[in-house]
Amino acid sequence: MTKTLRAVSLTALTASAFAAPAAAELKYENNSGGYVKLYGQLNPAIISVDDGQETETNVRDYDASNSRVGLEVIQPYGANTFQFRFETALGLPNSTETSQLGNDFGGWTRQDIRHVDFSLKGNWGKVSAGQGSMFADGAAEQDLSYVGLALYSFTADSNFSFLFRDTAGALSGPTVGDTTDDFDGSRRARIRYDTPSFNGFSFGAAWGRNVLGEDDDRDYYDFGTYYSNEFAGAKLNAALAYQVREGDGSAKREDVIGSASVLLDSGLSFTVAAGTRDVDSDTDTDPNYYYAKIAYETENWLPNLGKTGIGVHYWDGSDFNADGSDSSVWGVGVAQRIEDYNVDTYLTYQNYAYDDSTDDFDDLSTVVLGARWRF
């Protein structure tokens, strides 16, 4: 059975935004080098999920880069710079809140708050405090390809809650979110320090708590390094991080994650990522994965619009959800910049496979067509 498209109110919200050229930046400067800036984005997408027997198509806020609004304050103080950032998702019906069993829309909650972040930066480094990114946030997702806005190492943004269907037709399998991950770092109420850059390398560490969640008194801490440089026109970004979650009577969890991406002057790019998780428990699995992508981008194909990007990627994981399980994802995507309207459009297809010792499951495939408008 095929379920028909169910459009949600966010399409009406974004229609007027795409009907006119992009507005000027909402930035207000003072006479001492500081400024206040308002910013945000809308990212609706048509998402169609086929579980092997049924197809469900909906319009949702795309979780790969959800709709949000924010406020940034920058103020120099001598050789140092103070920054305050507030940012929250809008709480629109999200792509992770839908499955074959229906919708679980939560609306706006405090967990939609992304940043309430204070920082001070100087030639000695940067100290940050408040709700914001842990140091490992982004360590598994270094990606210089333009198509990376919709095709990157975390593959479950579009169908996180959908279940795999077994060969008998029952929804007996785990969810897509249970079977694929990149272990990338999180946002927490934290204290963080970043060193200055040394020949492209920066180092740092953070400690935090999940104060926006309920009944989570565990400690989160991490440390690692980022690298960014250019060589003869080629750009290279890389990261490596170690992160831990422990306390509150739960099993200690340790992750080692890393990623690297190179963008050549020709527009060709190569991206890789990998991660492993160790849980100090006899009942939890210790999954691992690797990821690779080849992409190409150019401004020559549709010069009147803007940059075009295409890519193909592959993710492979073991021991997700169950010991001995195998998970894989492959996908292709295209992204198109519409410069005059400050819009990035994208179309992706991804195929998800999962098997474990309990049963065989049908592959699940997902098509996403979306557009992200920023202001």
Side-chain angles (χ1 to χ4, degrees):
M1 177 178 79
T2 300
K3 298 184 180 180
T4 58
L5 175 68
R6 283 182 268 165
V8 296
S9 59
L10 63 91
T11 55
L13 182 63
T14 57
S16 60
F18 299 146
E25 188 177 45
L26 299 175
K27 185 177 181 180
Y28 306 91
E29 299 179 332
N30 60 32
N31 57 11
S32 59
Y35 64 83
V36 176
K37 183 172 71 174
L38 299 171
Y39 65 91
Q41 66 181 42
L42 297 171
N43 192 17
I46 302 171
I47 301 174
S48 183
V49 181
D50 183 350
D51 64 15
Q53 296 196 22
E54 295 185 1
T55 300
E56 180 160 343
T57 304
N58 299 281
V59 178
R60 295 288 181 263
D61 192 38
Y62 190 29
D63 193 65
S65 183
N66 59 16
S67 297
R68 63 191 68 157
V69 65
L71 169 72
E72 182 182 47
V73 179
I74 297 289
Q75 182 59 55
Y77 286 103
N80 301 314
T81 301
F82 168 81
Q83 179 183 24
F84 168 73
R85 182 182 182 188
F86 172 80
E87 183 179 293
T88 178
L90 299 182
L92 300 173
N94 189 273
S95 57
T96 64
E97 299 175 313
T98 296
S99 72
Q100 302 100 320
L101 305 180
N103 303 309
D104 187 24
F105 300 149
W108 189 92
T109 69
R110 65 183 186 180
Q111 295 188 52
D112 286 306
I113 298 174
R114 297 169 55 84
H115 295 274
V116 185
D117 192 14
F118 301 85
S119 67
L120 188 66
K121 183 178 181 181
N123 56 15
W124 42 267
K126 181 179 179 181
V127 171
S128 306
Q131 174 71 20
S133 293
M134 297 286 289
F135 191 79
D137 188 11
E141 297 175 357
Q142 297 296 295
D143 195 330
L144 291 170
S145 69
Y146 175 57
V147 75
L149 68 96
L151 198 72
Y152 70 116
S153 60
F154 186 76
T155 61
D157 287 302
S158 59
N159 52 20
F160 187 90
S161 299
F162 277 82
L163 291 89
F164 283 94
R165 193 180 292 273
D166 64 28
T167 52
L171 293 172
S172 65
T175 67
V176 172
D178 290 330
T179 64
T180 174
D181 199 350
D182 64 5
F183 308 148
D184 195 51
S186 55
R187 289 182 299 275
R188 298 285 182 252
R190 87 291 188 239
I191 299 173
R192 169 175 168 171
Y193 172 70
D194 295 59
T195 70
S197 178
F198 303 100
N199 298 319
F201 286 96
S202 61
F203 304 86
W207 170 87
R209 289 281 187 92
N210 183 18
V211 299
L212 300 180
E214 296 183 1
D215 301 323
D216 186 357
D217 293 324
R218 293 170 293 192
D219 292 304
Y220 296 79
Y221 55 90
D222 57 25
F223 60 85
T225 182
Y226 289 86
Y227 180 76
S228 181
N229 218 330
E230 294 189 22
F231 306 92
K235 298 179 180 179
L236 172 64
N237 282 3
L240 179 65
Y242 168 78
Q243 58 183 356
V244 175
R245 185 192 72 185
E246 64 178 346
D248 196 26
S250 64
K252 183 179 181 180
R253 190 182 76 183
E254 301 171 86
D255 298 334
V256 178
I257 54 176
S259 60
S261 185
V262 59
L263 175 62
L264 305 179
D265 190 51
S266 64
L268 192 65
S269 66
F270 302 90
T271 302
V272 294
T276 182
R277 170 166 289 173
D278 180 35
V279 184
D280 188 13
S281 168
D282 294 333
T283 58
D284 291 289
T285 64
D286 297 325
N288 61 84
Y289 77 93
Y290 68 86
Y291 170 85
K293 179 171 66 176
I294 300 175
Y296 176 75
E297 58 195 63
T298 180
E299 297 187 10
N300 297 328
W301 290 352
L302 296 171
N304 294 329
L305 291 179
K307 182 184 297 185
T308 306
I310 59 173
V312 55
H313 73 176
Y314 180 76
W315 180 99
D316 186 90
S318 300
D319 299 328
F320 281 83
N321 186 65
D323 282 327
S325 67
D326 292 311
S327 308
S328 65
V329 183
W330 67 266
V332 296
V334 59
Q336 177 62 52
R337 176 72 175 170
I338 305 176
E339 197 68 48
D340 288 346
Y341 294 86
N342 200 25
V343 170
D344 299 288
T345 60
Y346 49 88
L347 174 65
T348 64
Y349 171 86
Q350 296 191 88
N351 185 86
Y352 302 77
Y354 173 80
D355 288 299
D356 61 30
S357 60
T358 65
D359 207 339
D360 293 323
F361 300 95
D362 290 341
D363 287 3
L364 185 147
S365 62
T366 304
V367 177
V368 179
L369 173 63
R372 184 180 66 184
W373 172 69
R374 287 178 163 177
F375 64 89

